[in-house]
Amino acid sequence: MKTIKYAVAAIALSTLSFGAFAAQSVTTAQAENLNKIGVVSAEGATTLDGLEAKLAEKAQAAGATGYSITSATGNNKLSGTAIIYK
């Protein structure tokens, strides 16, 4: 349990320090003004915050400036998808 707390804290701190360059979650209205460049997926997260962090990381790696999560499923291990925008 402590390991998970430390991992979440580390992810939160790392996203704060790189927040100016990271892909940001966008609303449907904001997405209308952006170009869809693809879809990313992630799996194996234990929390919704962890899943969002994984999707944001993959969006950034794909060169996206924004993403919109379209699905999240699972019980103990979560998986999800997001549309990415530039």
Side-chain angles (χ1 to χ4, degrees):
M1 190 67 163
K2 280 186 175 182
T3 304
I4 293 171
K5 287 181 184 180
Y6 289 131
V8 171
I11 292 169
L13 290 173
S14 66
T15 56
L16 288 175
S17 63
F18 296 106
F21 303 105
Q24 300 293 315
S25 179
V26 296
T27 64
T28 304
Q30 292 169 323
E32 290 178 4
N33 299 320
L34 299 171
N35 295 320
K36 178 181 172 182
I37 60 170
V39 176
V40 293
S41 62
E43 58 186 30
T46 56
T47 66
L48 288 173
D49 287 338
L51 178 60
E52 183 173 9
K54 285 184 174 205
L55 290 168
E57 182 179 330
K58 286 193 172 190
Q60 181 181 354
T65 57
Y67 65 93
S68 177
I69 297 174
T70 56
S71 70
T73 62
N75 291 324
N76 295 331
K77 297 290 182 178
L78 302 173
S79 60
T81 58
I83 299 172
I84 57 175
Y85 302 94
K86 192 158 194 169

mmCIF file of all heavy atoms in Angstrom, residues 21-68:
data_model
loop_
_atom_site.group_PDB
_atom_site.id
_atom_site.type_symbol
_atom_site.label_atom_id
_atom_site.label_comp_id
_atom_site.label_asym_id
_atom_site.label_seq_id
_atom_site.Cartn_x
_atom_site.Cartn_y
_atom_site.Cartn_z
ATOM 1 N N PHE A 21 4.672 21.186 -20.694
ATOM 2 C CA PHE A 21 4.902 20.479 -21.947
ATOM 3 C C PHE A 21 3.989 19.269 -22.122
ATOM 4 O O PHE A 21 3.950 18.687 -23.185
ATOM 5 C CB PHE A 21 6.360 20.026 -22.027
ATOM 6 C CG PHE A 21 7.320 21.167 -21.888
ATOM 7 C CD1 PHE A 21 8.025 21.351 -20.716
ATOM 8 C CD2 PHE A 21 7.498 22.073 -22.916
ATOM 9 C CE1 PHE A 21 8.909 22.410 -20.581
ATOM 10 C CE2 PHE A 21 8.379 23.132 -22.786
ATOM 11 C CZ PHE A 21 9.083 23.301 -21.620
ATOM 12 N N ALA A 22 3.283 18.873 -21.088
ATOM 13 C CA ALA A 22 2.479 17.655 -21.143
ATOM 14 C C ALA A 22 1.164 17.888 -21.865
ATOM 15 O O ALA A 22 0.641 18.995 -21.898
ATOM 16 C CB ALA A 22 2.201 17.178 -19.725
ATOM 17 N N ALA A 23 0.636 16.807 -22.428
ATOM 18 C CA ALA A 23 -0.689 16.857 -23.028
ATOM 19 C C ALA A 23 -1.707 17.092 -21.915
ATOM 20 O O ALA A 23 -1.576 16.555 -20.820
ATOM 21 C CB ALA A 23 -0.977 15.551 -23.747
ATOM 22 N N GLN A 24 -2.713 17.898 -22.196
ATOM 23 C CA GLN A 24 -3.719 18.256 -21.207
ATOM 24 C C GLN A 24 -5.065 17.649 -21.570
ATOM 25 O O GLN A 24 -5.414 17.556 -22.744
ATOM 26 C CB GLN A 24 -3.860 19.786 -21.135
ATOM 27 C CG GLN A 24 -2.591 20.517 -20.753
ATOM 28 C CD GLN A 24 -2.182 20.234 -19.331
ATOM 29 O OE1 GLN A 24 -3.008 20.253 -18.428
ATOM 30 N NE2 GLN A 24 -0.912 19.951 -19.125
ATOM 31 N N SER A 25 -5.830 17.281 -20.573
ATOM 32 C CA SER A 25 -7.183 16.794 -20.797
ATOM 33 C C SER A 25 -8.020 17.940 -21.361
ATOM 34 O O SER A 25 -7.914 19.083 -20.906
ATOM 35 C CB SER A 25 -7.772 16.313 -19.468
ATOM 36 O OG SER A 25 -9.090 15.867 -19.657
ATOM 37 N N VAL A 26 -8.835 17.641 -22.379
ATOM 38 C CA VAL A 26 -9.665 18.674 -23.001
ATOM 39 C C VAL A 26 -11.128 18.263 -22.943
ATOM 40 O O VAL A 26 -11.466 17.086 -22.924
ATOM 41 C CB VAL A 26 -9.251 18.946 -24.466
ATOM 42 C CG1 VAL A 26 -7.854 19.512 -24.547
ATOM 43 C CG2 VAL A 26 -9.366 17.703 -25.326
ATOM 44 N N THR A 27 -12.011 19.260 -22.930
ATOM 45 C CA THR A 27 -13.451 19.021 -22.945
ATOM 46 C C THR A 27 -13.907 18.820 -24.390
ATOM 47 O O THR A 27 -13.155 19.091 -25.335
ATOM 48 C CB THR A 27 -14.215 20.210 -22.350
ATOM 49 O OG1 THR A 27 -14.006 21.352 -23.185
ATOM 50 C CG2 THR A 27 -13.755 20.511 -20.925
ATOM 51 N N THR A 28 -15.126 18.393 -24.549
ATOM 52 C CA THR A 28 -15.687 18.198 -25.885
ATOM 53 C C THR A 28 -15.691 19.511 -26.659
ATOM 54 O O THR A 28 -15.364 19.535 -27.847
ATOM 55 C CB THR A 28 -17.119 17.637 -25.785
ATOM 56 O OG1 THR A 28 -17.081 16.439 -25.011
ATOM 57 C CG2 THR A 28 -17.697 17.337 -27.146
ATOM 58 N N ALA A 29 -16.039 20.604 -25.995
ATOM 59 C CA ALA A 29 -16.055 21.908 -26.656
ATOM 60 C C ALA A 29 -14.654 22.327 -27.094
ATOM 61 O O ALA A 29 -14.478 22.863 -28.190
ATOM 62 C CB ALA A 29 -16.656 22.959 -25.720
ATOM 63 N N GLN A 30 -13.652 22.096 -26.268
ATOM 64 C CA GLN A 30 -12.281 22.433 -26.630
ATOM 65 C C GLN A 30 -11.786 21.563 -27.774
ATOM 66 O O GLN A 30 -11.054 22.022 -28.645
ATOM 67 C CB GLN A 30 -11.352 22.261 -25.423
ATOM 68 C CG GLN A 30 -11.594 23.256 -24.313
ATOM 69 C CD GLN A 30 -10.841 22.896 -23.047
ATOM 70 O OE1 GLN A 30 -10.703 21.719 -22.710
ATOM 71 N NE2 GLN A 30 -10.363 23.907 -22.328
ATOM 72 N N ALA A 31 -12.202 20.299 -27.788
ATOM 73 C CA ALA A 31 -11.757 19.362 -28.819
ATOM 74 C C ALA A 31 -12.249 19.770 -30.206
ATOM 75 O O ALA A 31 -11.608 19.451 -31.214
ATOM 76 C CB ALA A 31 -12.233 17.956 -28.485
ATOM 77 N N GLU A 32 -13.354 20.492 -30.281
ATOM 78 C CA GLU A 32 -13.889 20.937 -31.568
ATOM 79 C C GLU A 32 -12.908 21.856 -32.299
ATOM 80 O O GLU A 32 -12.935 21.937 -33.515
ATOM 81 C CB GLU A 32 -15.226 21.644 -31.375
ATOM 82 C CG GLU A 32 -16.351 20.714 -30.972
ATOM 83 C CD GLU A 32 -17.655 21.436 -30.733
ATOM 84 O OE1 GLU A 32 -17.725 22.669 -30.953
ATOM 85 O OE2 GLU A 32 -18.620 20.766 -30.322
ATOM 86 N N ASN A 33 -12.049 22.534 -31.557
ATOM 87 C CA ASN A 33 -11.086 23.462 -32.146
ATOM 88 C C ASN A 33 -9.723 22.825 -32.391
ATOM 89 O O ASN A 33 -8.787 23.515 -32.788
ATOM 90 C CB ASN A 33 -10.921 24.692 -31.244
ATOM 91 C CG ASN A 33 -12.216 25.442 -31.068
ATOM 92 O OD1 ASN A 33 -12.986 25.594 -32.008
ATOM 93 N ND2 ASN A 33 -12.482 25.881 -29.853
ATOM 94 N N LEU A 34 -9.603 21.516 -32.136
ATOM 95 C CA LEU A 34 -8.334 20.817 -32.298
ATOM 96 C C LEU A 34 -8.458 19.752 -33.384
ATOM 97 O O LEU A 34 -9.559 19.357 -33.760
ATOM 98 C CB LEU A 34 -7.936 20.155 -30.976
ATOM 99 C CG LEU A 34 -7.728 21.088 -29.788
ATOM 100 C CD1 LEU A 34 -7.561 20.291 -28.506
ATOM 101 C CD2 LEU A 34 -6.530 21.993 -30.019
ATOM 102 N N ASN A 35 -7.326 19.287 -33.875
ATOM 103 C CA ASN A 35 -7.297 18.230 -34.884
ATOM 104 C C ASN A 35 -7.044 16.885 -34.220
ATOM 105 O O ASN A 35 -6.055 16.723 -33.503
ATOM 106 C CB ASN A 35 -6.185 18.483 -35.911
ATOM 107 C CG ASN A 35 -6.437 19.725 -36.716
ATOM 108 O OD1 ASN A 35 -7.562 20.001 -37.109
ATOM 109 N ND2 ASN A 35 -5.390 20.495 -36.953
ATOM 110 N N LYS A 36 -7.927 15.913 -34.490
ATOM 111 C CA LYS A 36 -7.750 14.561 -33.969
ATOM 112 C C LYS A 36 -6.579 13.923 -34.702
ATOM 113 O O LYS A 36 -6.526 13.926 -35.924
ATOM 114 C CB LYS A 36 -9.016 13.738 -34.198
ATOM 115 C CG LYS A 36 -8.914 12.313 -33.735
ATOM 116 C CD LYS A 36 -10.202 11.544 -34.009
ATOM 117 C CE LYS A 36 -10.013 10.079 -33.706
ATOM 118 N NZ LYS A 36 -11.229 9.306 -34.000
ATOM 119 N N ILE A 37 -5.613 13.387 -33.914
ATOM 120 C CA ILE A 37 -4.448 12.766 -34.554
ATOM 121 C C ILE A 37 -4.350 11.269 -34.268
ATOM 122 O O ILE A 37 -3.442 10.608 -34.762
ATOM 123 C CB ILE A 37 -3.128 13.468 -34.155
ATOM 124 C CG1 ILE A 37 -2.890 13.415 -32.653
ATOM 125 C CG2 ILE A 37 -3.112 14.901 -34.676
ATOM 126 C CD1 ILE A 37 -1.508 13.880 -32.224
ATOM 127 N N GLY A 38 -5.276 10.735 -33.468
ATOM 128 C CA GLY A 38 -5.238 9.304 -33.210
ATOM 129 C C GLY A 38 -5.899 8.909 -31.912
ATOM 130 O O GLY A 38 -6.628 9.693 -31.302
ATOM 131 N N VAL A 39 -5.620 7.680 -31.506
ATOM 132 C CA VAL A 39 -6.180 7.108 -30.280
ATOM 133 C C VAL A 39 -5.053 6.391 -29.540
ATOM 134 O O VAL A 39 -4.202 5.760 -30.168
ATOM 135 C CB VAL A 39 -7.310 6.104 -30.605
ATOM 136 C CG1 VAL A 39 -7.827 5.427 -29.354
ATOM 137 C CG2 VAL A 39 -8.443 6.798 -31.342
ATOM 138 N N VAL A 40 -5.038 6.504 -28.220
ATOM 139 C CA VAL A 40 -4.070 5.764 -27.400
ATOM 140 C C VAL A 40 -4.836 4.910 -26.400
ATOM 141 O O VAL A 40 -5.985 5.211 -26.068
ATOM 142 C CB VAL A 40 -3.084 6.696 -26.652
ATOM 143 C CG1 VAL A 40 -2.177 7.419 -27.619
ATOM 144 C CG2 VAL A 40 -3.819 7.673 -25.764
ATOM 145 N N SER A 41 -4.197 3.849 -25.937
ATOM 146 C CA SER A 41 -4.805 3.000 -24.921
ATOM 147 C C SER A 41 -3.764 2.662 -23.862
ATOM 148 O O SER A 41 -2.562 2.709 -24.120
ATOM 149 C CB SER A 41 -5.370 1.725 -25.544
ATOM 150 O OG SER A 41 -4.341 0.968 -26.127
ATOM 151 N N ALA A 42 -4.250 2.340 -22.679
ATOM 152 C CA ALA A 42 -3.370 1.967 -21.572
ATOM 153 C C ALA A 42 -4.073 0.918 -20.737
ATOM 154 O O ALA A 42 -5.302 0.827 -20.727
ATOM 155 C CB ALA A 42 -3.036 3.189 -20.721
ATOM 156 N N GLU A 43 -3.278 0.121 -20.035
ATOM 157 C CA GLU A 43 -3.849 -0.912 -19.167
ATOM 158 C C GLU A 43 -2.945 -1.140 -17.968
ATOM 159 O O GLU A 43 -1.801 -0.699 -17.936
ATOM 160 C CB GLU A 43 -4.050 -2.215 -19.932
ATOM 161 C CG GLU A 43 -2.795 -2.766 -20.546
ATOM 162 C CD GLU A 43 -3.065 -3.989 -21.410
ATOM 163 O OE1 GLU A 43 -4.152 -4.107 -21.990
ATOM 164 O OE2 GLU A 43 -2.158 -4.824 -21.493
ATOM 165 N N GLY A 44 -3.506 -1.798 -16.962
ATOM 166 C CA GLY A 44 -2.725 -2.175 -15.793
ATOM 167 C C GLY A 44 -2.730 -1.164 -14.662
ATOM 168 O O GLY A 44 -2.057 -1.360 -13.666
ATOM 169 N N ALA A 45 -3.509 -0.095 -14.776
ATOM 170 C CA ALA A 45 -3.566 0.901 -13.706
ATOM 171 C C ALA A 45 -4.430 0.376 -12.561
ATOM 172 O O ALA A 45 -5.363 -0.395 -12.778
ATOM 173 C CB ALA A 45 -4.135 2.212 -14.239
ATOM 174 N N THR A 46 -4.127 0.808 -11.354
ATOM 175 C CA THR A 46 -4.902 0.366 -10.193
ATOM 176 C C THR A 46 -5.896 1.421 -9.718
ATOM 177 O O THR A 46 -6.758 1.123 -8.898
ATOM 178 C CB THR A 46 -3.967 -0.013 -9.032
ATOM 179 O OG1 THR A 46 -3.127 1.090 -8.728
ATOM 180 C CG2 THR A 46 -3.119 -1.231 -9.387
ATOM 181 N N THR A 47 -5.762 2.656 -10.223
ATOM 182 C CA THR A 47 -6.702 3.726 -9.885
ATOM 183 C C THR A 47 -7.059 4.497 -11.150
ATOM 184 O O THR A 47 -6.337 4.428 -12.149
ATOM 185 C CB THR A 47 -6.097 4.718 -8.874
ATOM 186 O OG1 THR A 47 -4.997 5.404 -9.506
ATOM 187 C CG2 THR A 47 -5.623 4.033 -7.599
ATOM 188 N N LEU A 48 -8.144 5.260 -11.079
ATOM 189 C CA LEU A 48 -8.516 6.083 -12.224
ATOM 190 C C LEU A 48 -7.469 7.168 -12.482
ATOM 191 O O LEU A 48 -7.165 7.485 -13.631
ATOM 192 C CB LEU A 48 -9.892 6.713 -12.014
ATOM 193 C CG LEU A 48 -11.073 5.748 -12.120
ATOM 194 C CD1 LEU A 48 -12.371 6.437 -11.734
ATOM 195 C CD2 LEU A 48 -11.181 5.169 -13.513
ATOM 196 N N ASP A 49 -6.912 7.728 -11.416
ATOM 197 C CA ASP A 49 -5.848 8.727 -11.579
ATOM 198 C C ASP A 49 -4.633 8.117 -12.263
ATOM 199 O O ASP A 49 -4.001 8.742 -13.115
ATOM 200 C CB ASP A 49 -5.441 9.322 -10.230
ATOM 201 C CG ASP A 49 -6.474 10.280 -9.665
ATOM 202 O OD1 ASP A 49 -7.279 10.813 -10.455
ATOM 203 O OD2 ASP A 49 -6.466 10.495 -8.442
ATOM 204 N N GLY A 50 -4.307 6.898 -11.886
ATOM 205 C CA GLY A 50 -3.185 6.201 -12.507
ATOM 206 C C GLY A 50 -3.434 5.927 -13.980
ATOM 207 O O GLY A 50 -2.538 6.073 -14.813
ATOM 208 N N LEU A 51 -4.671 5.558 -14.306
ATOM 209 C CA LEU A 51 -5.029 5.317 -15.703
ATOM 210 C C LEU A 51 -4.940 6.611 -16.504
ATOM 211 O O LEU A 51 -4.379 6.633 -17.599
ATOM 212 C CB LEU A 51 -6.438 4.725 -15.804
ATOM 213 C CG LEU A 51 -6.952 4.461 -17.212
ATOM 214 C CD1 LEU A 51 -6.058 3.476 -17.955
ATOM 215 C CD2 LEU A 51 -8.394 3.965 -17.164
ATOM 216 N N GLU A 52 -5.437 7.697 -15.934
ATOM 217 C CA GLU A 52 -5.361 8.985 -16.626
ATOM 218 C C GLU A 52 -3.909 9.403 -16.845
ATOM 219 O O GLU A 52 -3.544 9.901 -17.908
ATOM 220 C CB GLU A 52 -6.108 10.076 -15.863
ATOM 221 C CG GLU A 52 -6.110 11.394 -16.601
ATOM 222 C CD GLU A 52 -6.971 12.460 -15.959
ATOM 223 O OE1 GLU A 52 -7.465 12.265 -14.837
ATOM 224 O OE2 GLU A 52 -7.144 13.512 -16.598
ATOM 225 N N ALA A 53 -3.062 9.169 -15.861
ATOM 226 C CA ALA A 53 -1.644 9.506 -15.996
ATOM 227 C C ALA A 53 -0.993 8.699 -17.118
ATOM 228 O O ALA A 53 -0.201 9.238 -17.901
ATOM 229 C CB ALA A 53 -0.915 9.273 -14.675
ATOM 230 N N LYS A 54 -1.332 7.411 -17.203
ATOM 231 C CA LYS A 54 -0.775 6.575 -18.270
ATOM 232 C C LYS A 54 -1.241 7.052 -19.645
ATOM 233 O O LYS A 54 -0.457 7.107 -20.591
ATOM 234 C CB LYS A 54 -1.176 5.113 -18.069
ATOM 235 C CG LYS A 54 -0.425 4.409 -16.980
ATOM 236 C CD LYS A 54 -0.809 2.941 -16.919
ATOM 237 C CE LYS A 54 0.061 2.216 -15.912
ATOM 238 N NZ LYS A 54 0.165 0.794 -16.196
ATOM 239 N N LEU A 55 -2.528 7.399 -19.750
ATOM 240 C CA LEU A 55 -3.047 7.878 -21.029
ATOM 241 C C LEU A 55 -2.419 9.226 -21.402
ATOM 242 O O LEU A 55 -2.073 9.458 -22.563
ATOM 243 C CB LEU A 55 -4.575 7.987 -20.985
ATOM 244 C CG LEU A 55 -5.318 6.650 -20.943
ATOM 245 C CD1 LEU A 55 -6.792 6.854 -20.600
ATOM 246 C CD2 LEU A 55 -5.168 5.904 -22.256
ATOM 247 N N ALA A 56 -2.242 10.104 -20.430
ATOM 248 C CA ALA A 56 -1.616 11.403 -20.685
ATOM 249 C C ALA A 56 -0.173 11.220 -21.141
ATOM 250 O O ALA A 56 0.292 11.911 -22.050
ATOM 251 C CB ALA A 56 -1.677 12.274 -19.430
ATOM 252 N N GLU A 57 0.534 10.276 -20.535
ATOM 253 C CA GLU A 57 1.921 10.008 -20.910
ATOM 254 C C GLU A 57 2.001 9.496 -22.347
ATOM 255 O O GLU A 57 2.848 9.924 -23.130
ATOM 256 C CB GLU A 57 2.514 8.974 -19.947
ATOM 257 C CG GLU A 57 3.964 8.655 -20.197
ATOM 258 C CD GLU A 57 4.499 7.637 -19.200
ATOM 259 O OE1 GLU A 57 4.017 7.588 -18.060
ATOM 260 O OE2 GLU A 57 5.407 6.888 -19.590
ATOM 261 N N LYS A 58 1.098 8.592 -22.706
ATOM 262 C CA LYS A 58 1.092 8.065 -24.072
ATOM 263 C C LYS A 58 0.691 9.147 -25.074
ATOM 264 O O LYS A 58 1.224 9.189 -26.181
ATOM 265 C CB LYS A 58 0.166 6.863 -24.177
ATOM 266 C CG LYS A 58 0.748 5.628 -23.532
ATOM 267 C CD LYS A 58 -0.029 4.397 -23.913
ATOM 268 C CE LYS A 58 0.707 3.164 -23.411
ATOM 269 N NZ LYS A 58 0.124 1.943 -23.952
ATOM 270 N N ALA A 59 -0.229 10.018 -24.693
ATOM 271 C CA ALA A 59 -0.630 11.113 -25.571
ATOM 272 C C ALA A 59 0.552 12.041 -25.828
ATOM 273 O O ALA A 59 0.816 12.444 -26.961
ATOM 274 C CB ALA A 59 -1.798 11.887 -24.953
ATOM 275 N N GLN A 60 1.269 12.379 -24.773
ATOM 276 C CA GLN A 60 2.440 13.240 -24.912
ATOM 277 C C GLN A 60 3.496 12.581 -25.785
ATOM 278 O O GLN A 60 4.088 13.225 -26.651
ATOM 279 C CB GLN A 60 3.022 13.571 -23.548
ATOM 280 C CG GLN A 60 4.233 14.484 -23.632
ATOM 281 C CD GLN A 60 4.817 14.784 -22.269
ATOM 282 O OE1 GLN A 60 4.264 14.413 -21.251
ATOM 283 N NE2 GLN A 60 5.937 15.472 -22.250
ATOM 284 N N ALA A 61 3.725 11.296 -25.589
ATOM 285 C CA ALA A 61 4.723 10.569 -26.382
ATOM 286 C C ALA A 61 4.349 10.559 -27.863
ATOM 287 O O ALA A 61 5.223 10.509 -28.726
ATOM 288 C CB ALA A 61 4.872 9.147 -25.861
ATOM 289 N N ALA A 62 3.049 10.606 -28.152
ATOM 290 C CA ALA A 62 2.581 10.618 -29.539
ATOM 291 C C ALA A 62 2.584 12.028 -30.131
ATOM 292 O O ALA A 62 2.197 12.209 -31.281
ATOM 293 C CB ALA A 62 1.180 10.023 -29.618
ATOM 294 N N GLY A 63 2.990 13.022 -29.342
ATOM 295 C CA GLY A 63 3.065 14.393 -29.833
ATOM 296 C C GLY A 63 1.781 15.183 -29.702
ATOM 297 O O GLY A 63 1.633 16.248 -30.295
ATOM 298 N N ALA A 64 0.851 14.685 -28.917
ATOM 299 C CA ALA A 64 -0.429 15.370 -28.740
ATOM 300 C C ALA A 64 -0.307 16.525 -27.756
ATOM 301 O O ALA A 64 0.527 16.490 -26.844
ATOM 302 C CB ALA A 64 -1.474 14.384 -28.240
ATOM 303 N N THR A 65 -1.155 17.523 -27.936
ATOM 304 C CA THR A 65 -1.241 18.614 -26.969
ATOM 305 C C THR A 65 -2.435 18.434 -26.050
ATOM 306 O O THR A 65 -2.509 19.050 -24.997
ATOM 307 C CB THR A 65 -1.346 19.980 -27.668
ATOM 308 O OG1 THR A 65 -2.478 19.955 -28.540
ATOM 309 C CG2 THR A 65 -0.093 20.287 -28.460
ATOM 310 N N GLY A 66 -3.380 17.582 -26.466
ATOM 311 C CA GLY A 66 -4.563 17.334 -25.657
ATOM 312 C C GLY A 66 -5.079 15.930 -25.857
ATOM 313 O O GLY A 66 -4.735 15.259 -26.832
ATOM 314 N N TYR A 67 -5.916 15.485 -24.912
ATOM 315 C CA TYR A 67 -6.529 14.164 -25.020
ATOM 316 C C TYR A 67 -7.888 14.190 -24.344
ATOM 317 O O TYR A 67 -8.154 15.010 -23.470
ATOM 318 C CB TYR A 67 -5.643 13.083 -24.384
ATOM 319 C CG TYR A 67 -5.467 13.253 -22.890
ATOM 320 C CD1 TYR A 67 -6.301 12.613 -21.990
ATOM 321 C CD2 TYR A 67 -4.468 14.070 -22.382
ATOM 322 C CE1 TYR A 67 -6.149 12.796 -20.622
ATOM 323 C CE2 TYR A 67 -4.300 14.252 -21.027
ATOM 324 C CZ TYR A 67 -5.144 13.615 -20.153
ATOM 325 O OH TYR A 67 -4.989 13.801 -18.807
ATOM 326 N N SER A 68 -8.744 13.278 -24.772
ATOM 327 C CA SER A 68 -10.065 13.132 -24.187
ATOM 328 C C SER A 68 -10.310 11.648 -23.938
ATOM 329 O O SER A 68 -10.332 10.853 -24.880
ATOM 330 C CB SER A 68 -11.121 13.690 -25.148
ATOM 331 O OG SER A 68 -12.414 13.508 -24.630
#
